[in-house]
Amino acid sequence: MTHFIANGRVIDPSQKLDEVCTLRIENGKIAGIIKENCIPGIGNDTVYDAAGKIVVPGLIDMHVHLREPGREEDETIETGTRAAIHGGFTSVACCPNTIPPVDSQATVEFIQHQAARSNNCNVFVICCISKNREGKELAELGQLFSAGAVACSDDGSPVEDAELMRRALEYCLMFGKPLLSHSENTSLTNGGVMNEGTISMHLGLSGIPAVGEDAAVAQDIALAEATGGQLHLMHISTAGAVSMVRRAKERNVNITAEVTPHHLTLDDANLCSFDTNFKMSPPLRSREHIEACIAGLLDGTIDVIASDHAPHALEKKMRELDQAPFGIIGLETALPLMITKFVNTGILDWATLVEKMSLNPARILNLHSKGSLQAGKDADITIIDPNVKWTVTKEGLHSKSKNSPYLGWELTGKAAAVFVGGERKL
């Protein structure tokens, strides 16, 4: 059966396309683009009228914690992928800090099975770098990649052993896979609650210094440069990290980086409320770091916007600030935050936003059929209503956990419809 998405403003950075036209979909694939704003003679049952809306390649969040297996009280693959669809994402890559960790073929296959059973969005598995995420011995990367893992990471814990990281990068190079690094020197950050600075001193809270990230980023870049391995830096948050990535790219190091919406829209002053929903790792930074991240986003130093969706059950976040776990949910607010705070204010244009939330994640993870609306690609499509205004509420969120710092915020823009493999999911 042939389907059409008609009359929308189609934005596809892979083709440098930005105009009102119509997508044709056949057998779950993009069959072509019709450069007219109407499709006469087609029954309404095969047409989605996207007039007044923006049609883009399906968004990809390459940094998501789905918690299953082992922490289903926080999130499940079914609830997490449902939240992803409502956030406009057609694909997510899930991190391996589950119980057990994703360091065996059986766990990779379990996640794939649960994702297929949920039948919401595409789920791509990120496996562990080290066995049990302990940073002591390499996981069986060849077997894990053969099972379908698209990348490796110990996210939630850094790999601080330089020799282990060097060998991991060499293995990833052999298999053509990226290594996703949580860059942190824990000897500098252990025991910290929030960004180290004047506000942490005023509040009497233990600080997490920016140099804890900078020192680890410097080591990771040196190892990537030495090995040629594909390094992706997750959730960078400091001016120093941005500067080092920029210089590394000038030297043609095989490196990419991501930033989260919360590290662009919130700062360490939010912790004055002692609300644990503002506690995350890396911590919310001060304004000079935020400005450096925005500059890196604009000049191409930072390639990707990812949510770092990290759900925690209510009782866990209700602890004292120093006892509560790090992390917030972000799948359903990532796109609206970027529209409200960056596109609508003229900081980012639509094409750049789509590039960093679809095209670049697809390229980094080698998802060759994703991130583009070119003929023959998978019909993964996000349709955005750029004008709808809505308020973030617990009741309106589809994630199992509700640990969002944006509750009560009024945002503009959200996903109006989502197609995965040509099938409408929202």
Side-chain angles (χ1 to χ4, degrees):
M1 182 180 289
T2 300
H3 303 280
F4 295 91
I5 296 175
N7 307 325
R9 177 185 171 188
V10 178
I11 300 176
D12 182 7
S14 75
Q15 304 181 76
K16 296 182 169 52
L17 176 66
D18 184 351
E19 62 181 281
V20 174
C21 49
T22 292
L23 293 183
R24 179 173 175 164
I25 302 167
E26 292 181 354
N27 301 318
K29 301 286 185 180
I30 303 294
I33 294 176
I34 303 168
K35 299 293 184 72
E36 289 129 20
N37 62 2
C38 64
I39 305 293
I42 300 295
N44 289 335
D45 59 328
T46 62
V47 176
Y48 179 94
D49 187 357
K53 298 181 177 66
I54 295 173
V55 181
V56 304
L59 302 184
I60 301 168
D61 192 336
M62 63 178 293
H63 187 171
V64 170
H65 300 271
L66 294 179
R67 302 305 191 201
E68 187 179 3
R71 292 171 61 186
E72 288 84 357
E73 72 276 13
D74 299 329
E75 191 79 282
T76 66
I77 290 169
E78 195 282 326
T79 60
T81 54
R82 188 185 339 133
I85 288 294
H86 282 84
F89 293 98
T90 59
S91 298
V92 299
C94 61
C95 291
N97 56 339
T98 52
I99 304 171
V102 187
D103 62 0
S104 70
Q105 286 181 301
T107 311
V108 173
E109 291 165 0
F110 169 80
I111 294 170
Q112 293 168 335
H113 171 77
Q114 292 294 86
R117 190 165 74 172
S118 298
N119 194 29
N120 289 319
C121 68
N122 304 299
V123 175
F124 297 99
V125 180
I126 302 169
C127 67
C128 296
I129 296 171
S130 66
K131 291 183 179 179
N132 206 37
R133 292 177 52 252
E134 292 177 345
K136 297 177 181 178
E137 183 181 357
L138 274 183
E140 299 290 345
L141 293 178
Q143 293 180 14
L144 292 164
F145 292 146
S146 295
V150 297
C152 64
S153 177
D154 276 359
D155 186 47
S157 300
V159 177
E160 297 186 81
D161 185 316
E163 173 60 16
L164 186 70
M165 180 66 99
R166 181 177 72 89
R167 286 191 285 120
L169 283 162
E170 289 171 343
Y171 268 92
C172 287
L173 183 62
M174 288 169 51
F175 290 102
K177 303 292 185 182
L179 184 152
L180 281 49
S181 178
H182 172 125
S183 299
E184 178 185 2
N185 186 315
T186 57
S187 66
L188 293 166
T189 63
N190 271 348
V193 174
M194 64 173 294
N195 180 60
E196 183 179 274
T198 57
I199 294 177
S200 67
M201 183 172 62
H202 174 72
L203 297 177
L205 294 172
S206 300
I208 299 173
V211 70
E213 181 173 319
D214 295 347
V217 166
Q219 176 172 287
D220 286 347
I221 290 175
L223 294 170
E225 192 163 16
T227 61
Q230 183 184 348
L231 174 68
H232 177 79
L233 297 177
M234 308 173 87
H235 51 41
I236 65 172
S237 67
T238 69
V242 174
S243 177
M244 283 185 278
V245 172
R246 184 179 290 116
R247 294 198 302 270
K249 287 190 170 187
E250 291 170 355
R251 301 194 305 274
N252 295 316
V253 178
N254 192 3
I255 185 172
T256 52
E258 73 186 33
V259 69
T260 72
H262 47 271
H263 286 114
L264 299 172
T265 58
L266 302 170
D267 61 34
D268 55 356
N270 290 110
L271 269 296
C272 292
S273 66
F274 287 87
D275 183 343
T276 59
N277 285 335
F278 293 101
K279 182 183 179 184
M280 57 205 67
S281 177
L284 298 175
R285 301 290 185 185
S286 53
R287 291 308 307 176
E288 65 268 24
H289 294 295
I290 296 169
E291 289 165 6
C293 287
I294 293 171
L297 199 63
L298 294 177
D299 69 13
T301 300
I302 297 174
D303 307 86
V304 170
I305 298 163
S307 74
D308 191 5
H309 177 80
H312 293 289
L314 178 62
E315 62 271 16
K316 297 178 181 179
K317 276 292 193 177
M318 285 181 68
R319 300 172 188 166
E320 295 295 324
L321 189 60
D322 61 343
Q323 298 298 315
F326 293 98
I328 64 167
I329 58 172
L331 278 167
E332 295 171 80
T333 53
L335 174 64
L337 281 168
M338 296 309 299
I339 294 171
T340 304
K341 297 295 184 180
F342 288 88
V343 175
N344 290 350
T345 57
I347 298 172
L348 280 183
D349 59 35
W350 277 104
T352 302
L353 180 65
V354 175
E355 181 181 54
K356 294 180 188 295
M357 296 187 75
S358 182
L359 178 61
N360 287 351
R363 286 177 172 172
I364 292 166
L365 296 175
N366 301 306
L367 307 178
H368 302 298
S369 64
K370 312 293 185 187
S372 171
L373 297 176
Q374 294 176 16
K377 301 290 187 180
D378 291 344
D380 292 354
I381 301 159
T382 301
I383 300 175
I384 301 166
D385 185 336
N387 300 312
V388 63
K389 294 186 184 296
W390 64 287
T391 300
V392 183
T393 64
K394 287 183 179 180
E395 297 74 23
L397 293 172
H398 294 82
S399 175
K400 190 171 186 178
S401 293
K402 312 299 178 183
N403 53 308
S404 171
Y406 298 106
L407 296 175
W409 281 42
E410 184 178 278
L411 301 176
T412 301
K414 67 187 306 187
V418 171
F419 293 79
V420 179
E423 180 182 351
R424 187 173 178 181
K425 300 293 185 177
L426 174 67

